[in-house]
Amino acid sequence: MRVATGLVLLGLGAATPALAQPEPGDVRAGQRLATTWCANCHQIAVGGPGSANDAAPPFPAVAQMVSTTSMSLRVFLQSPHGNMPDYRLSREQIDDVVAYILSLRR
């Protein structure tokens, strides 16, 4: 019984560093990308530059959605959308934009 408990605790300890790893991406670089490419259609910050129209939700509103996660943003940014330009972002650029959007959470 002690051996089994020890192995479980050891396994939990080994999993902890993987959970503690920071998300990739540079918030400032993501903000620059958003200002350059996304602000034509989206409001990219509260009271910030960009259009706030119904077709393109404001980034702060996207950040507050329960369904918004790092993974969901990555999938969205890598999938073509009929009413959104196909910018073909690199993995690093996606990391940066995701980091920026998630930084807008209150």
Side-chain angles (χ1 to χ4, degrees), residues 43-62:
Q43 181 183 20
I44 61 164
V46 176
S51 170
N53 63 52
D54 291 341
F59 280 10
V62 171

Side-chain angles (χ1 to χ4, degrees), residues 23 25 29 36 59 67 71 100:
E23 284 287 326
T36 302
F59 280 10
S67 61
M71 181 64 74
Y100 174 64

Side-chain angles (χ1 to χ4, degrees), residues 24-38 44 59 89-101 103:
D26 179 326
V27 172
R28 289 184 187 190
Q31 183 179 21
R32 285 191 299 273
L33 286 167
T35 300
T36 302
W37 294 342
C38 308
I44 61 164
F59 280 10
L89 300 173
S90 71
R91 184 178 303 255
E92 183 178 346
Q93 290 170 323
I94 289 171
D95 289 345
D96 294 344
V97 171
V98 167
Y100 174 64
I101 292 172
S103 78

